[in-house]
Amino acid sequence: MASFLFISCKKNTEVTPTKISTAENSIKHATGLDIFKYEDYSIVKVKTPWPEATAGYTYVLKKANAKLPDSLQKYTAITVPLINLVVTSTTIIPFLEMLDSETKLMGFPHTDYISSPKTRTLIEKGRIRDVGQNENLNIELLFDMQPEAIVTFGVDNTNKMVDKLVANGLKVLFQADWMEQSPLGKAEWIKFYGALLGKEKEANTIYTKIEKDYTDALTLMHDVAPKQTVMYGSLYKDQWFVARGNSWIAQFLNDAKTNYLWSDIPGTGSQPLSFESVFDKAQHADIWITNGAIESLAQLTKENHHYKKFDAYQSKQIYTFESQKGATGGTIYYELAPSRPDLVLKDFIKIFHPDVLPNYTFTFAKKLD
C-alpha cells in the first residue's frame, strides 16, 4: 500500500493579502488547493489538510531574492524552484516523473513501497535514501540531508514531528491530494509540484491533457444507459467496507454508467457493513469489483468460502485493480491511479461497456479466473 507520514504542523490563518489581489486561482477541480501566481512569487493554500480540519496552510513560493509584501511575511516561504526535496507518499512519485523531476527526490520513508521502475533505479543507485518508516521518520538523517523541502501530509493535528523538523530549520509543507474525492481534483495536484519545481507550464500542459482524455471518455458515455449492477469491496476483519456514494471510487462508477448498489450512502470514504447485509443487497449483482491483493478466484474463496454464494462469483465476473505489484511489492494502482484518472475511468468503462472502447487494453484492472 502507499507509504504515508501521519504528522502535523502549526496552523496558519487564511491569507488576506493587500495590493496583491489581481492574480486568478489556477485550480479548477481540486477543492483543497488554491494557487495564485504573481510575478516574483506564488501563494499556495492547502485548505483542508485532513478530515475535519478547522484551518489550512498558506505557503509563499518565491523566486530567489524576491521581496515579499508585508502581509505575506508571516507565512512559510520557500525559495523555488526546488533543487531537492523529500516526499512521503507514493502518489507523489508519478507527479515528479511526469515533470521529469524524479532526480530531485532525495529521500522517502520506506522506499520499498515505490513501484515505478524509473524511480526504483535511482533508489538502487543510492540517490534516494530511505528516511524511516511512516510515523517513525528518521529525524537525524533528515537534519543531515538538509532537503530544501519536505512534502508530507497528516491525518490530524496531534503529532509533534513536524514541529521538531521546523524548529531545526527544515521547511515542511502539507499536501492533501488524498482528501480530494473528484478524480480530476486528485490529478490536479500536479500543479502543486509544478509550482514547487518551477514547472508550472509543464504541469498545466500535462493536466490539461489528462482532463481532456477524461472528458472525452465521459463524452463517449453520454448516451449510454447503466445496464449492470455492481458490488464493491470485500471482507476485512469481519466487516465489509463499501465505497460511500460521494467517494472517489463511487464517482468513477457513476461516470462509467453503472448501477452501483451503495450509491445512496452519503459521504466519502468507506462504510463498514456486515457480510449479511452485503449479501442481502448484492447476491445477484452482475459484476464485483473486489479490493486487496487478490489475484485469482481460488485465492478469493480461500479467504472466505461464502464468496461462492454471489452470482458474480458463479459467473466469473469479478475484477481487481490491485493485483499489479512493483519489484519490491508496492501496489502500482495505489501509486499511479490518483494521477491518471483518465486511465482508471477507461478501465471501468471497458469492464461495464466493452463495446464503447473495443480496442482499449486494461491499465490496472484484471479479471479474476
Side-chain angles (χ1 to χ4, degrees), residues 125-325:
K125 290 180 178 179
R127 298 189 46 192
I128 299 173
R129 302 177 70 177
D130 194 314
V131 295
Q133 296 187 11
N134 298 335
E135 298 91 340
N136 189 25
L137 200 65
N138 190 329
I139 297 177
E140 291 77 14
L141 177 58
L142 286 170
F143 292 159
D144 181 62
M145 292 167 61
Q146 287 294 304
E148 291 192 319
I150 300 169
V151 182
T152 187
F153 77 93
V155 295
D156 56 35
N157 62 351
T158 60
N159 196 296
K160 298 179 180 180
M161 187 173 293
V162 166
D163 291 337
K164 293 180 181 178
L165 295 170
V166 173
N168 283 272
L170 295 177
K171 302 282 189 177
V172 181
L173 294 85
F174 279 91
Q175 64 91 15
D177 64 351
W178 65 287
M179 286 288 293
E180 301 289 343
Q181 298 303 318
S182 157
L184 287 175
K186 279 187 186 292
E188 196 167 18
W189 278 79
I190 191 173
K191 296 179 181 179
F192 179 80
Y193 302 98
L196 288 173
L197 299 165
K199 294 194 173 186
E200 292 96 337
K201 290 182 180 180
E202 293 89 338
N204 287 334
T205 297
I206 293 166
Y207 181 74
T208 298
K209 177 65 165 56
I210 292 171
E211 181 185 36
K212 181 180 185 302
D213 288 350
Y214 196 97
T215 303
D216 287 348
L218 287 178
T219 300
L220 292 175
M221 302 302 294
H222 186 267
D223 295 321
V224 177
K227 295 185 295 185
Q228 297 167 307
T229 53
V230 55
M231 57 185 286
Y232 176 82
S234 59
L235 281 170
Y236 178 73
K237 295 183 178 179
D238 298 325
Q239 288 190 307
W240 193 303
F241 290 86
V242 302
R244 293 189 177 113
N246 300 112
S247 66
W248 187 63
I249 289 295
Q251 291 195 45
F252 280 120
L253 293 171
N254 179 66
D255 288 347
K257 295 296 182 71
T258 75
N259 288 313
Y260 175 48
L261 291 172
W262 290 278
S263 62
D264 59 338
I265 298 180
T268 61
S270 299
Q271 175 73 33
L273 300 172
S274 68
F275 176 86
E276 291 75 17
S277 66
V278 171
F279 185 74
D280 287 345
K281 194 177 189 72
Q283 178 184 0
H284 303 300
D286 297 306
I287 293 178
W288 178 1
I289 306 296
T290 189
N291 55 9
I294 301 296
E295 298 186 18
S296 68
L297 294 173
Q299 183 183 356
L300 188 71
T301 53
K302 185 177 181 180
E303 290 198 357
N304 193 310
H305 68 278
H306 291 298
Y307 289 155
K308 292 182 178 180
K309 299 176 182 179
F310 289 97
D311 287 1
Y313 177 88
Q314 296 170 19
S315 62
K316 297 184 179 181
Q317 291 296 316
I318 306 178
Y319 293 81
T320 179
F321 281 66
E322 302 173 25
S323 63
Q324 296 182 59
K325 304 293 182 180

Side-chain angles (χ1 to χ4, degrees), residues 105-107 119-130 145:
L105 181 63
M106 63 187 307
T119 301
R120 288 229 56 84
T121 298
L122 296 173
I123 294 169
E124 290 156 10
K125 290 180 178 179
R127 298 189 46 192
I128 299 173
R129 302 177 70 177
D130 194 314
M145 292 167 61

